[in-house]
Amino acid sequence: MKKLIYSLLAGFFMFSACTMQPSYKITGTIEGLESSQVILKSLNKGKFVAIDSAKVENGTFVFKGSLTQPDLHAISLADKQEIQLFIDNSEITIHGNIKNMAELKIEGSQVASLFKSFSDEMNTINTKMRDIYNKYVQLSMTKDSDEKTQMLKQIEGEYVEMEKKSGDLVKKYVDENTSSYVAPFVALNYMAPRLSLTELEKVVESFDPKIADSKYLVKMREKVSKLKKVSIGQPFIDFTLNDPEGNPVALSSVAGKGKYVLLDFWASWCGPCRAENPVLVENYAKYKDKGFEIFAVSLDKEKKPWVDAIKKDGIAWIQVSDLKFWNTAARELYEFNSIPHNILLDKNGIIIAKDLRGEDLGAKLAELLN
């Protein structure tokens, strides 16, 4: 009988051990927090979405749950304040004061601590960059003088220096934490947008195979795959969008038809794009009868500003848009993160250059068409 009982107990504990799911417990205590409820949110397609709520008693709240892998979350407090933190299946404690959230302490999880450390350093740099920018704007509105010009150059230098510090910080955190789930998140959001295809491939290969399932690492692999498809030497990828009159126009209507085609991504709200338009107007007038065409895709959200900009800037080439801002289908195909952005196609529709601006565009067209 005893043997039977021991066997049943052993079986019960083995079953419990096999079915127990790794879980997290977040215990937060925020002095001065007057809310009766706080909301836990997860990151979904770039936006935080509510997944849980907890009652607040004497400034303390508790969340419990389970994750398939560590990820970024946010806890919404009072007055639009929130705590962003990386969560894994650990017991995490949060201590702070609602009046001084900069001194918030997050403990109990290695990934949570690592992300908190990175965020604190990055926020310090971003604050300094914002102050430098504001100083530049204020000075630029004053009366012109030699002293002003010299000071503006000095401020520009300060800003460039802070940009370098930001880049160095990101690289340091990624290089030193290749086995942490935090590193792919940092790399994708802070590093990948400014890396070349070759550089991005090296970063992807540097991560420990133990975190190969990281959704941010998966996204970087997808980015590498997309960039390879639109790298120099590859044929254009066709798409169709509507012109201002609502007529569908395909890139293939001009690409690969015996003309050099500049695929140009821009928007009416983009200052650098508008500043570049006179260069395009000049080169289009000069080379349109020599085998050159421009196929422009606008990342506008509304039709009127787009059409007004076309008229004001004297644009006479093909214009299309789905008015979906950054969610335009063309951006997904050509994988870019900033505008202006352009791609030059040869007569057969093969990509031969990217991001030609100003004198560089004119020089390239002169080389090809004169």
Side-chain angles (χ1 to χ4, degrees), residues 73-123:
H73 289 69
I75 300 174
S76 293
L77 308 175
D79 300 324
K80 298 183 179 179
Q81 292 192 70
E82 69 176 21
I83 301 167
Q84 289 192 10
L85 73 164
F86 239 80
I87 296 176
D88 61 357
N89 290 317
S90 300
E91 289 203 12
I92 302 170
T93 59
I94 302 172
H95 294 278
N97 189 300
I98 197 70
K99 294 181 180 179
N100 187 15
M101 295 297 285
E103 298 297 322
L104 190 77
K105 290 184 178 180
I106 300 176
E107 298 171 322
S109 161
Q110 188 175 1
V111 294
S113 297
L114 180 62
F115 182 74
K116 177 71 164 59
S117 173
F118 170 76
S119 296
D120 288 347
E121 290 191 65
M122 184 57 72
N123 287 338

Side-chain angles (χ1 to χ4, degrees), residues 64-77:
K64 293 180 181 180
S66 179
L67 295 172
T68 56
Q69 65 176 250
D71 201 0
L72 183 67
H73 289 69
I75 300 174
S76 293
L77 308 175

Side-chain angles (χ1 to χ4, degrees), residues 145-359:
S145 67
D146 291 340
E147 182 182 5
K148 172 186 173 181
T149 302
Q150 186 177 355
M151 289 179 67
L152 286 174
K153 287 183 179 179
Q154 181 181 334
I155 296 172
E156 287 172 1
E158 292 174 7
Y159 194 87
V160 170
E161 184 181 345
M162 292 309 299
E163 278 189 323
K164 184 179 183 305
K165 284 187 177 183
S166 174
D168 290 345
L169 174 66
V170 171
K171 188 176 186 305
K172 170 178 171 286
Y173 267 83
V174 172
D175 290 347
E176 294 180 358
N177 299 282
T178 53
S179 62
S180 171
Y181 278 87
V182 175
F185 171 84
V186 172
L188 177 65
N189 290 282
Y190 293 89
M191 181 184 281
R194 55 187 180 219
L195 293 182
S196 67
L197 172 58
T198 302
E199 291 169 334
L200 184 59
E201 283 185 295
K202 287 181 180 178
V203 171
V204 170
E205 291 167 1
S206 72
F207 291 110
D208 193 312
K210 290 188 294 185
I211 60 168
D213 64 336
S214 162
K215 69 179 186 180
Y216 301 108
L217 191 48
V218 170
K219 287 180 181 178
M220 277 193 282
R221 291 196 201 98
E222 292 173 351
K223 186 177 179 70
V224 166
S225 178
K226 287 181 181 180
L227 286 172
K228 283 183 176 179
K229 292 178 181 178
V230 292
S231 60
I232 291 175
Q234 296 299 310
F236 76 93
I237 301 174
D238 196 22
F239 62 88
T240 301
L241 294 174
N242 289 348
D243 66 14
E245 286 72 43
N247 303 309
V249 185
L251 176 57
S252 57
S253 65
V254 289
K257 305 291 186 183
K259 287 186 176 184
Y260 288 95
V261 176
L262 187 72
L263 175 57
D264 180 51
F265 296 94
W266 75 296
S268 67
W269 48 260
C270 169
C273 302
R274 302 293 294 275
E276 190 67 19
N277 276 344
V279 175
L280 297 181
V281 169
E282 180 184 348
N283 281 290
Y284 188 68
K286 191 173 183 179
Y287 295 109
K288 66 178 181 178
D289 296 327
K290 295 183 178 182
F292 175 59
E293 186 57 76
I294 301 176
F295 191 97
V297 181
S298 169
L299 272 65
D300 273 282
K301 292 188 286 187
E302 298 177 3
K303 183 177 179 179
K304 188 178 186 307
W306 173 38
V307 173
D308 288 347
I310 291 173
K311 292 178 181 177
K312 186 173 182 179
D313 293 357
I315 295 173
W317 50 85
I318 299 168
Q319 284 283 340
V320 298
S321 180
D322 53 12
L323 301 176
K324 292 183 179 179
F325 198 42
W326 286 101
N327 294 319
T328 180
R331 191 189 79 83
E332 290 294 316
L333 293 174
Y334 283 88
E335 194 60 33
F336 57 91
N337 299 286
S338 62
I339 53 175
H341 174 66
N342 64 46
I343 296 170
L344 184 61
L345 308 175
D346 71 7
K347 295 178 180 180
N348 298 310
I350 304 299
I351 298 171
I352 57 174
K354 288 186 174 185
D355 291 318
L356 293 170
R357 299 195 188 104
E359 294 179 357

